[in-house]
PDB file of all heavy atoms in Angstrom:
ATOM      1  N   PRO A 172       9.620 -12.301 -10.264  1.00  0.00           N
ATOM      2  CA  PRO A 172       8.623 -11.670  -9.499  1.00  0.00           C
ATOM      3  C   PRO A 172       8.302 -10.268 -10.070  1.00  0.00           C
ATOM      4  O   PRO A 172       9.204  -9.684 -10.812  1.00  0.00           O
ATOM      5  CB  PRO A 172       9.232 -11.675  -8.113  1.00  0.00           C
ATOM      6  CG  PRO A 172      10.791 -11.565  -8.314  1.00  0.00           C
ATOM      7  CD  PRO A 172      10.932 -12.463  -9.631  1.00  0.00           C
ATOM      8  N   ILE A 173       7.211  -9.714  -9.404  1.00  0.00           N
ATOM      9  CA  ILE A 173       6.928  -8.271  -9.784  1.00  0.00           C
ATOM     10  C   ILE A 173       8.080  -7.433  -9.164  1.00  0.00           C
ATOM     11  O   ILE A 173       8.665  -7.802  -8.203  1.00  0.00           O
ATOM     12  CB  ILE A 173       5.598  -7.824  -9.417  1.00  0.00           C
ATOM     13  CG1 ILE A 173       5.500  -7.949  -7.819  1.00  0.00           C
ATOM     14  CG2 ILE A 173       4.473  -8.524 -10.142  1.00  0.00           C
ATOM     15  CD1 ILE A 173       4.195  -7.300  -7.271  1.00  0.00           C
ATOM     16  N   SER A 174       8.298  -6.158  -9.744  1.00  0.00           N
ATOM     17  CA  SER A 174       9.279  -5.294  -9.212  1.00  0.00           C
ATOM     18  C   SER A 174       8.716  -4.551  -7.891  1.00  0.00           C
ATOM     19  O   SER A 174       7.419  -4.730  -7.748  1.00  0.00           O
ATOM     20  CB  SER A 174       9.629  -4.280 -10.195  1.00  0.00           C
ATOM     21  OG  SER A 174       8.586  -3.417 -10.541  1.00  0.00           O
ATOM     22  N   THR A 175       9.519  -4.110  -7.130  1.00  0.00           N
ATOM     23  CA  THR A 175       8.930  -3.311  -5.936  1.00  0.00           C
ATOM     24  C   THR A 175       8.076  -2.168  -6.358  1.00  0.00           C
ATOM     25  O   THR A 175       7.127  -1.707  -5.634  1.00  0.00           O
ATOM     26  CB  THR A 175      10.141  -2.843  -5.049  1.00  0.00           C
ATOM     27  OG1 THR A 175      11.143  -2.139  -5.770  1.00  0.00           O
ATOM     28  CG2 THR A 175      10.846  -4.062  -4.373  1.00  0.00           C
ATOM     29  N   ARG A 176       8.542  -1.553  -7.555  1.00  0.00           N
ATOM     30  CA  ARG A 176       7.704  -0.345  -8.034  1.00  0.00           C
ATOM     31  C   ARG A 176       6.344  -0.911  -8.493  1.00  0.00           C
ATOM     32  O   ARG A 176       5.317  -0.252  -8.110  1.00  0.00           O
ATOM     33  CB  ARG A 176       8.436   0.164  -9.302  1.00  0.00           C
ATOM     34  CG  ARG A 176       7.554   1.325  -9.938  1.00  0.00           C
ATOM     35  CD  ARG A 176       8.387   2.008 -11.110  1.00  0.00           C
ATOM     36  NE  ARG A 176       7.611   3.061 -11.750  1.00  0.00           N
ATOM     37  CZ  ARG A 176       6.706   2.985 -12.563  1.00  0.00           C
ATOM     38  NH1 ARG A 176       6.427   1.722 -12.921  1.00  0.00           N
ATOM     39  NH2 ARG A 176       6.061   3.958 -13.107  1.00  0.00           N
ATOM     40  N   GLN A 177       6.294  -2.034  -9.141  1.00  0.00           N
ATOM     41  CA  GLN A 177       4.980  -2.643  -9.532  1.00  0.00           C
ATOM     42  C   GLN A 177       4.209  -3.067  -8.221  1.00  0.00           C
ATOM     43  O   GLN A 177       2.865  -2.884  -8.218  1.00  0.00           O
ATOM     44  CB  GLN A 177       5.125  -3.810 -10.446  1.00  0.00           C
ATOM     45  CG  GLN A 177       3.714  -4.202 -11.021  1.00  0.00           C
ATOM     46  CD  GLN A 177       3.110  -3.121 -11.966  1.00  0.00           C
ATOM     47  OE1 GLN A 177       3.788  -2.371 -12.691  1.00  0.00           O
ATOM     48  NE2 GLN A 177       1.861  -2.967 -11.653  1.00  0.00           N
ATOM     49  N   PHE A 178       4.746  -3.418  -7.301  1.00  0.00           N
ATOM     50  CA  PHE A 178       4.197  -3.794  -5.985  1.00  0.00           C
ATOM     51  C   PHE A 178       3.515  -2.640  -5.404  1.00  0.00           C
ATOM     52  O   PHE A 178       2.430  -2.717  -4.966  1.00  0.00           O
ATOM     53  CB  PHE A 178       5.219  -4.387  -4.979  1.00  0.00           C
ATOM     54  CG  PHE A 178       4.720  -4.739  -3.649  1.00  0.00           C
ATOM     55  CD1 PHE A 178       3.965  -5.668  -3.357  1.00  0.00           C
ATOM     56  CD2 PHE A 178       5.160  -3.703  -2.579  1.00  0.00           C
ATOM     57  CE1 PHE A 178       3.535  -5.786  -1.895  1.00  0.00           C
ATOM     58  CE2 PHE A 178       4.758  -3.884  -1.352  1.00  0.00           C
ATOM     59  CZ  PHE A 178       3.907  -4.896  -1.044  1.00  0.00           C
ATOM     60  N   ARG A 179       4.251  -1.587  -5.375  1.00  0.00           N
ATOM     61  CA  ARG A 179       3.605  -0.296  -4.798  1.00  0.00           C
ATOM     62  C   ARG A 179       2.509   0.224  -5.686  1.00  0.00           C
ATOM     63  O   ARG A 179       1.471   0.662  -5.079  1.00  0.00           O
ATOM     64  CB  ARG A 179       4.813   0.803  -4.758  1.00  0.00           C
ATOM     65  CG  ARG A 179       5.804   0.501  -3.667  1.00  0.00           C
ATOM     66  CD  ARG A 179       6.737   1.686  -3.354  1.00  0.00           C
ATOM     67  NE  ARG A 179       7.421   2.054  -4.595  1.00  0.00           N
ATOM     68  CZ  ARG A 179       8.679   1.612  -4.868  1.00  0.00           C
ATOM     69  NH1 ARG A 179       9.299   0.815  -3.931  1.00  0.00           N
ATOM     70  NH2 ARG A 179       9.339   2.067  -5.936  1.00  0.00           N
ATOM     71  N   LEU A 180       2.662   0.176  -6.972  1.00  0.00           N
ATOM     72  CA  LEU A 180       1.625   0.582  -7.888  1.00  0.00           C
ATOM     73  C   LEU A 180       0.214  -0.257  -7.725  1.00  0.00           C
ATOM     74  O   LEU A 180      -0.853   0.192  -7.697  1.00  0.00           O
ATOM     75  CB  LEU A 180       2.028   0.554  -9.339  1.00  0.00           C
ATOM     76  CG  LEU A 180       3.090   1.678  -9.642  1.00  0.00           C
ATOM     77  CD1 LEU A 180       3.568   1.456 -11.111  1.00  0.00           C
ATOM     78  CD2 LEU A 180       2.575   3.121  -9.424  1.00  0.00           C
ATOM     79  N   THR A 181       0.516  -1.650  -7.571  1.00  0.00           N
ATOM     80  CA  THR A 181      -0.637  -2.551  -7.496  1.00  0.00           C
ATOM     81  C   THR A 181      -1.372  -2.222  -6.137  1.00  0.00           C
ATOM     82  O   THR A 181      -2.488  -2.160  -5.988  1.00  0.00           O
ATOM     83  CB  THR A 181      -0.111  -3.952  -7.565  1.00  0.00           C
ATOM     84  OG1 THR A 181       0.464  -4.152  -8.688  1.00  0.00           O
ATOM     85  CG2 THR A 181      -1.298  -4.934  -7.162  1.00  0.00           C
ATOM     86  N   PHE A 182      -0.528  -2.009  -5.094  1.00  0.00           N
ATOM     87  CA  PHE A 182      -1.082  -1.689  -3.808  1.00  0.00           C
ATOM     88  C   PHE A 182      -1.997  -0.400  -3.908  1.00  0.00           C
ATOM     89  O   PHE A 182      -3.011  -0.390  -3.321  1.00  0.00           O
ATOM     90  CB  PHE A 182      -0.038  -1.558  -2.675  1.00  0.00           C
ATOM     91  CG  PHE A 182      -0.561  -1.292  -1.363  1.00  0.00           C
ATOM     92  CD1 PHE A 182      -0.834  -2.355  -0.471  1.00  0.00           C
ATOM     93  CD2 PHE A 182      -0.815  -0.056  -0.837  1.00  0.00           C
ATOM     94  CE1 PHE A 182      -1.432  -2.258   0.724  1.00  0.00           C
ATOM     95  CE2 PHE A 182      -1.324   0.198   0.404  1.00  0.00           C
ATOM     96  CZ  PHE A 182      -1.627  -0.946   1.173  1.00  0.00           C
ATOM     97  N   ARG A 183      -1.501   0.615  -4.540  1.00  0.00           N
ATOM     98  CA  ARG A 183      -2.128   1.872  -4.602  1.00  0.00           C
ATOM     99  C   ARG A 183      -3.509   1.648  -5.346  1.00  0.00           C
ATOM    100  O   ARG A 183      -4.601   2.344  -5.037  1.00  0.00           O
ATOM    101  CB  ARG A 183      -1.308   2.869  -5.377  1.00  0.00           C
ATOM    102  CG  ARG A 183      -0.362   3.655  -4.482  1.00  0.00           C
ATOM    103  CD  ARG A 183      -1.084   4.533  -3.472  1.00  0.00           C
ATOM    104  NE  ARG A 183      -2.180   5.212  -3.989  1.00  0.00           N
ATOM    105  CZ  ARG A 183      -3.301   5.419  -3.451  1.00  0.00           C
ATOM    106  NH1 ARG A 183      -3.648   4.726  -2.291  1.00  0.00           N
ATOM    107  NH2 ARG A 183      -4.263   6.143  -3.968  1.00  0.00           N
ATOM    108  N   LEU A 184      -3.443   0.755  -6.387  1.00  0.00           N
ATOM    109  CA  LEU A 184      -4.757   0.487  -7.051  1.00  0.00           C
ATOM    110  C   LEU A 184      -5.870  -0.029  -6.137  1.00  0.00           C
ATOM    111  O   LEU A 184      -7.035   0.381  -6.210  1.00  0.00           O
ATOM    112  CB  LEU A 184      -4.459  -0.558  -8.158  1.00  0.00           C
ATOM    113  CG  LEU A 184      -5.665  -0.914  -9.014  1.00  0.00           C
ATOM    114  CD1 LEU A 184      -6.031   0.187  -9.974  1.00  0.00           C
ATOM    115  CD2 LEU A 184      -5.215  -2.140  -9.881  1.00  0.00           C
ATOM    116  N   TRP A 185      -5.423  -0.952  -5.222  1.00  0.00           N
ATOM    117  CA  TRP A 185      -6.349  -1.497  -4.316  1.00  0.00           C
ATOM    118  C   TRP A 185      -6.835  -0.462  -3.277  1.00  0.00           C
ATOM    119  O   TRP A 185      -8.009  -0.466  -2.875  1.00  0.00           O
ATOM    120  CB  TRP A 185      -5.806  -2.809  -3.601  1.00  0.00           C
ATOM    121  CG  TRP A 185      -5.767  -3.904  -4.588  1.00  0.00           C
ATOM    122  CD1 TRP A 185      -4.721  -4.310  -5.278  1.00  0.00           C
ATOM    123  CD2 TRP A 185      -6.822  -4.752  -4.939  1.00  0.00           C
ATOM    124  NE1 TRP A 185      -5.013  -5.480  -6.128  1.00  0.00           N
ATOM    125  CE2 TRP A 185      -6.316  -5.664  -5.913  1.00  0.00           C
ATOM    126  CE3 TRP A 185      -8.213  -4.853  -4.542  1.00  0.00           C
ATOM    127  CZ2 TRP A 185      -7.205  -6.669  -6.505  1.00  0.00           C
ATOM    128  CZ3 TRP A 185      -8.944  -5.883  -5.089  1.00  0.00           C
ATOM    129  CH2 TRP A 185      -8.435  -6.819  -6.036  1.00  0.00           C
ATOM    130  N   ALA A 186      -5.829   0.332  -2.744  1.00  0.00           N
ATOM    131  CA  ALA A 186      -6.241   1.369  -1.809  1.00  0.00           C
ATOM    132  C   ALA A 186      -7.182   2.320  -2.357  1.00  0.00           C
ATOM    133  O   ALA A 186      -8.188   2.832  -1.722  1.00  0.00           O
ATOM    134  CB  ALA A 186      -4.992   2.054  -1.418  1.00  0.00           C
ATOM    135  N   LYS A 187      -6.943   2.734  -3.662  1.00  0.00           N
ATOM    136  CA  LYS A 187      -7.880   3.734  -4.305  1.00  0.00           C
ATOM    137  C   LYS A 187      -9.307   3.080  -4.490  1.00  0.00           C
ATOM    138  O   LYS A 187     -10.294   3.659  -4.142  1.00  0.00           O
ATOM    139  CB  LYS A 187      -7.347   4.019  -5.635  1.00  0.00           C
ATOM    140  CG  LYS A 187      -8.189   4.993  -6.393  1.00  0.00           C
ATOM    141  CD  LYS A 187      -7.543   5.503  -7.812  1.00  0.00           C
ATOM    142  CE  LYS A 187      -8.339   6.609  -8.472  1.00  0.00           C
ATOM    143  NZ  LYS A 187      -7.719   6.927  -9.798  1.00  0.00           N
ATOM    144  N   ALA A 188      -9.389   1.835  -4.807  1.00  0.00           N
ATOM    145  CA  ALA A 188     -10.606   1.105  -4.890  1.00  0.00           C
ATOM    146  C   ALA A 188     -11.410   1.092  -3.587  1.00  0.00           C
ATOM    147  O   ALA A 188     -12.616   1.038  -3.625  1.00  0.00           O
ATOM    148  CB  ALA A 188     -10.385  -0.260  -5.460  1.00  0.00           C
ATOM    149  N   ALA A 189     -10.637   1.007  -2.518  1.00  0.00           N
ATOM    150  CA  ALA A 189     -11.251   1.047  -1.176  1.00  0.00           C
ATOM    151  C   ALA A 189     -11.622   2.411  -0.705  1.00  0.00           C
ATOM    152  O   ALA A 189     -12.111   2.481   0.500  1.00  0.00           O
ATOM    153  CB  ALA A 189     -10.362   0.349  -0.259  1.00  0.00           C
ATOM    154  N   GLY A 190     -11.267   3.445  -1.404  1.00  0.00           N
ATOM    155  CA  GLY A 190     -11.652   4.795  -1.107  1.00  0.00           C
ATOM    156  C   GLY A 190     -10.701   5.319  -0.014  1.00  0.00           C
ATOM    157  O   GLY A 190     -11.048   6.296   0.790  1.00  0.00           O
ATOM    158  N   LEU A 191      -9.515   4.880   0.139  1.00  0.00           N
ATOM    159  CA  LEU A 191      -8.561   5.223   1.243  1.00  0.00           C
ATOM    160  C   LEU A 191      -7.778   6.525   0.742  1.00  0.00           C
ATOM    161  O   LEU A 191      -7.617   6.760  -0.614  1.00  0.00           O
ATOM    162  CB  LEU A 191      -7.641   4.169   1.600  1.00  0.00           C
ATOM    163  CG  LEU A 191      -8.285   2.912   2.249  1.00  0.00           C
ATOM    164  CD1 LEU A 191      -7.247   1.960   2.576  1.00  0.00           C
ATOM    165  CD2 LEU A 191      -8.979   3.336   3.485  1.00  0.00           C
ATOM    166  N   PRO A 192      -7.200   7.260   1.691  1.00  0.00           N
ATOM    167  CA  PRO A 192      -6.512   8.523   1.222  1.00  0.00           C
ATOM    168  C   PRO A 192      -5.407   8.181   0.338  1.00  0.00           C
ATOM    169  O   PRO A 192      -4.745   7.052   0.354  1.00  0.00           O
ATOM    170  CB  PRO A 192      -5.887   9.008   2.622  1.00  0.00           C
ATOM    171  CG  PRO A 192      -6.846   8.464   3.625  1.00  0.00           C
ATOM    172  CD  PRO A 192      -7.374   7.087   3.170  1.00  0.00           C
ATOM    173  N   GLU A 193      -5.000   9.085  -0.553  1.00  0.00           N
ATOM    174  CA  GLU A 193      -4.025   8.873  -1.660  1.00  0.00           C
ATOM    175  C   GLU A 193      -2.588   8.565  -1.041  1.00  0.00           C
ATOM    176  O   GLU A 193      -1.843   8.016  -1.706  1.00  0.00           O
ATOM    177  CB  GLU A 193      -3.986   9.961  -2.593  1.00  0.00           C
ATOM    178  CG  GLU A 193      -3.588  11.343  -1.999  1.00  0.00           C
ATOM    179  CD  GLU A 193      -3.527  12.459  -2.951  1.00  0.00           C
ATOM    180  OE1 GLU A 193      -4.429  12.366  -3.952  1.00  0.00           O
ATOM    181  OE2 GLU A 193      -2.954  13.416  -2.687  1.00  0.00           O
ATOM    182  N   GLU A 194      -2.400   9.041   0.187  1.00  0.00           N
ATOM    183  CA  GLU A 194      -1.031   8.812   0.795  1.00  0.00           C
ATOM    184  C   GLU A 194      -0.749   7.315   1.226  1.00  0.00           C
ATOM    185  O   GLU A 194       0.351   6.991   1.537  1.00  0.00           O
ATOM    186  CB  GLU A 194      -0.876   9.749   1.911  1.00  0.00           C
ATOM    187  CG  GLU A 194      -0.893  11.177   1.655  1.00  0.00           C
ATOM    188  CD  GLU A 194      -2.292  11.658   2.024  1.00  0.00           C
ATOM    189  OE1 GLU A 194      -3.291  10.980   1.716  1.00  0.00           O
ATOM    190  OE2 GLU A 194      -2.396  12.864   2.464  1.00  0.00           O
ATOM    191  N   VAL A 195      -1.790   6.590   1.236  1.00  0.00           N
ATOM    192  CA  VAL A 195      -1.729   5.192   1.775  1.00  0.00           C
ATOM    193  C   VAL A 195      -0.693   4.431   0.922  1.00  0.00           C
ATOM    194  O   VAL A 195      -0.718   4.446  -0.289  1.00  0.00           O
ATOM    195  CB  VAL A 195      -3.036   4.478   1.848  1.00  0.00           C
ATOM    196  CG1 VAL A 195      -2.980   3.018   2.031  1.00  0.00           C
ATOM    197  CG2 VAL A 195      -4.007   5.118   2.861  1.00  0.00           C
ATOM    198  N   SER A 196       0.116   3.749   1.667  1.00  0.00           N
ATOM    199  CA  SER A 196       1.136   2.961   0.848  1.00  0.00           C
ATOM    200  C   SER A 196       1.264   1.552   1.397  1.00  0.00           C
ATOM    201  O   SER A 196       0.763   1.299   2.593  1.00  0.00           O
ATOM    202  CB  SER A 196       2.519   3.570   0.830  1.00  0.00           C
ATOM    203  OG  SER A 196       3.025   3.639   2.241  1.00  0.00           O
ATOM    204  N   ALA A 197       1.966   0.634   0.827  1.00  0.00           N
ATOM    205  CA  ALA A 197       2.184  -0.697   1.475  1.00  0.00           C
ATOM    206  C   ALA A 197       2.844  -0.582   2.890  1.00  0.00           C
ATOM    207  O   ALA A 197       2.679  -1.292   3.725  1.00  0.00           O
ATOM    208  CB  ALA A 197       3.043  -1.564   0.524  1.00  0.00           C
ATOM    209  N   HIS A 198       3.748   0.509   2.907  1.00  0.00           N
ATOM    210  CA  HIS A 198       4.450   0.704   4.239  1.00  0.00           C
ATOM    211  C   HIS A 198       3.436   1.196   5.296  1.00  0.00           C
ATOM    212  O   HIS A 198       3.538   0.851   6.471  1.00  0.00           O
ATOM    213  CB  HIS A 198       5.548   1.656   4.079  1.00  0.00           C
ATOM    214  CG  HIS A 198       6.411   1.878   5.396  1.00  0.00           C
ATOM    215  ND1 HIS A 198       7.309   0.887   5.773  1.00  0.00           N
ATOM    216  CD2 HIS A 198       6.427   2.771   6.260  1.00  0.00           C
ATOM    217  CE1 HIS A 198       7.871   1.233   6.857  1.00  0.00           C
ATOM    218  NE2 HIS A 198       7.283   2.372   7.306  1.00  0.00           N
ATOM    219  N   SER A 199       2.273   1.934   4.807  1.00  0.00           N
ATOM    220  CA  SER A 199       1.291   2.312   5.812  1.00  0.00           C
ATOM    221  C   SER A 199       0.720   0.948   6.415  1.00  0.00           C
ATOM    222  O   SER A 199       0.449   0.941   7.591  1.00  0.00           O
ATOM    223  CB  SER A 199       0.153   3.100   5.046  1.00  0.00           C
ATOM    224  OG  SER A 199       0.556   4.151   4.339  1.00  0.00           O
ATOM    225  N   LEU A 200       0.476  -0.018   5.584  1.00  0.00           N
ATOM    226  CA  LEU A 200      -0.152  -1.172   6.102  1.00  0.00           C
ATOM    227  C   LEU A 200       0.798  -1.981   7.100  1.00  0.00           C
ATOM    228  O   LEU A 200       0.459  -2.588   8.038  1.00  0.00           O
ATOM    229  CB  LEU A 200      -0.543  -2.054   4.863  1.00  0.00           C
ATOM    230  CG  LEU A 200      -1.633  -3.094   5.154  1.00  0.00           C
ATOM    231  CD1 LEU A 200      -2.933  -2.336   5.587  1.00  0.00           C
ATOM    232  CD2 LEU A 200      -1.968  -3.767   3.893  1.00  0.00           C
ATOM    233  N   ARG A 201       2.100  -1.903   6.604  1.00  0.00           N
ATOM    234  CA  ARG A 201       3.085  -2.596   7.611  1.00  0.00           C
ATOM    235  C   ARG A 201       3.102  -1.888   8.944  1.00  0.00           C
ATOM    236  O   ARG A 201       3.108  -2.517   9.915  1.00  0.00           O
ATOM    237  CB  ARG A 201       4.456  -2.529   6.864  1.00  0.00           C
ATOM    238  CG  ARG A 201       5.647  -2.963   7.716  1.00  0.00           C
ATOM    239  CD  ARG A 201       6.961  -2.856   6.978  1.00  0.00           C
ATOM    240  NE  ARG A 201       8.131  -2.824   7.777  1.00  0.00           N
ATOM    241  CZ  ARG A 201       8.579  -3.817   8.427  1.00  0.00           C
ATOM    242  NH1 ARG A 201       8.153  -5.107   8.276  1.00  0.00           N
ATOM    243  NH2 ARG A 201       9.719  -3.753   9.176  1.00  0.00           N
ATOM    244  N   HIS A 202       3.192  -0.614   8.878  1.00  0.00           N
ATOM    245  CA  HIS A 202       3.149   0.166  10.054  1.00  0.00           C
ATOM    246  C   HIS A 202       1.933  -0.006  10.874  1.00  0.00           C
ATOM    247  O   HIS A 202       1.997  -0.203  12.126  1.00  0.00           O
ATOM    248  CB  HIS A 202       3.180   1.763   9.647  1.00  0.00           C
ATOM    249  CG  HIS A 202       3.117   2.682  10.870  1.00  0.00           C
ATOM    250  ND1 HIS A 202       4.067   2.912  11.674  1.00  0.00           N
ATOM    251  CD2 HIS A 202       2.035   3.548  11.158  1.00  0.00           C
ATOM    252  CE1 HIS A 202       3.660   3.902  12.539  1.00  0.00           C
ATOM    253  NE2 HIS A 202       2.500   4.151  12.311  1.00  0.00           N
ATOM    254  N   SER A 203       0.782  -0.101  10.271  1.00  0.00           N
ATOM    255  CA  SER A 203      -0.480  -0.286  11.026  1.00  0.00           C
ATOM    256  C   SER A 203      -0.590  -1.704  11.593  1.00  0.00           C
ATOM    257  O   SER A 203      -1.076  -1.825  12.734  1.00  0.00           O
ATOM    258  CB  SER A 203      -1.657  -0.149  10.073  1.00  0.00           C
ATOM    259  OG  SER A 203      -1.648   1.200   9.540  1.00  0.00           O
ATOM    260  N   ALA A 204       0.026  -2.615  10.964  1.00  0.00           N
ATOM    261  CA  ALA A 204       0.041  -4.001  11.493  1.00  0.00           C
ATOM    262  C   ALA A 204       0.746  -4.078  12.830  1.00  0.00           C
ATOM    263  O   ALA A 204       0.307  -4.668  13.834  1.00  0.00           O
ATOM    264  CB  ALA A 204       0.632  -4.927  10.553  1.00  0.00           C
ATOM    265  N   GLY A 205       1.903  -3.497  12.907  1.00  0.00           N
ATOM    266  CA  GLY A 205       2.692  -3.399  14.096  1.00  0.00           C
ATOM    267  C   GLY A 205       1.963  -2.757  15.257  1.00  0.00           C
ATOM    268  O   GLY A 205       1.915  -3.146  16.333  1.00  0.00           O
ATOM    269  N   THR A 206       1.290  -1.583  14.900  1.00  0.00           N
ATOM    270  CA  THR A 206       0.473  -0.849  15.846  1.00  0.00           C
ATOM    271  C   THR A 206      -0.765  -1.553  16.357  1.00  0.00           C
ATOM    272  O   THR A 206      -0.952  -1.578  17.539  1.00  0.00           O
ATOM    273  CB  THR A 206      -0.007   0.512  15.209  1.00  0.00           C
ATOM    274  OG1 THR A 206       1.137   1.153  14.749  1.00  0.00           O
ATOM    275  CG2 THR A 206      -0.647   1.328  16.204  1.00  0.00           C
ATOM    276  N   HIS A 207      -1.413  -2.367  15.454  1.00  0.00           N
ATOM    277  CA  HIS A 207      -2.598  -3.017  15.740  1.00  0.00           C
ATOM    278  C   HIS A 207      -2.203  -4.269  16.693  1.00  0.00           C
ATOM    279  O   HIS A 207      -3.030  -4.427  17.684  1.00  0.00           O
ATOM    280  CB  HIS A 207      -3.410  -3.438  14.654  1.00  0.00           C
ATOM    281  CG  HIS A 207      -3.902  -2.257  13.777  1.00  0.00           C
ATOM    282  ND1 HIS A 207      -4.286  -2.472  12.428  1.00  0.00           N
ATOM    283  CD2 HIS A 207      -4.150  -0.962  14.162  1.00  0.00           C
ATOM    284  CE1 HIS A 207      -4.727  -1.254  12.003  1.00  0.00           C
ATOM    285  NE2 HIS A 207      -4.608  -0.457  12.998  1.00  0.00           N
ATOM    286  N   VAL A 208      -1.250  -4.986  16.460  1.00  0.00           N
ATOM    287  CA  VAL A 208      -0.813  -6.017  17.244  1.00  0.00           C
ATOM    288  C   VAL A 208      -0.536  -5.564  18.661  1.00  0.00           C
ATOM    289  O   VAL A 208      -1.007  -6.206  19.679  1.00  0.00           O
ATOM    290  CB  VAL A 208       0.339  -6.746  16.663  1.00  0.00           C
ATOM    291  CG1 VAL A 208       0.902  -7.814  17.614  1.00  0.00           C
ATOM    292  CG2 VAL A 208       0.036  -7.576  15.391  1.00  0.00           C
TER     293      VAL A 208
END
């Protein structure tokens, strides 16, 4: 499998393409999922 580092870098690539703030991380999405539910 990909490394956790590559997982974070890949996520950042998609976040940047979506025009989101540079601080957005995969944990941001995990945190938001719990809040939204």
Side-chain angles (χ1 to χ4, degrees):
I173 60 173
S174 65
T175 52
R176 178 177 181 275
Q177 191 58 46
F178 170 75
R179 291 192 295 268
L180 291 174
T181 301
F182 184 88
R183 276 297 311 136
L184 181 68
W185 288 97
K187 183 177 181 180
L191 296 179
E193 62 184 23
E194 303 97 316
V195 170
S196 66
H198 188 75
S199 305
L200 206 55
R201 172 177 159 80
H202 173 73
S203 300
T206 304
H207 294 165
V208 169

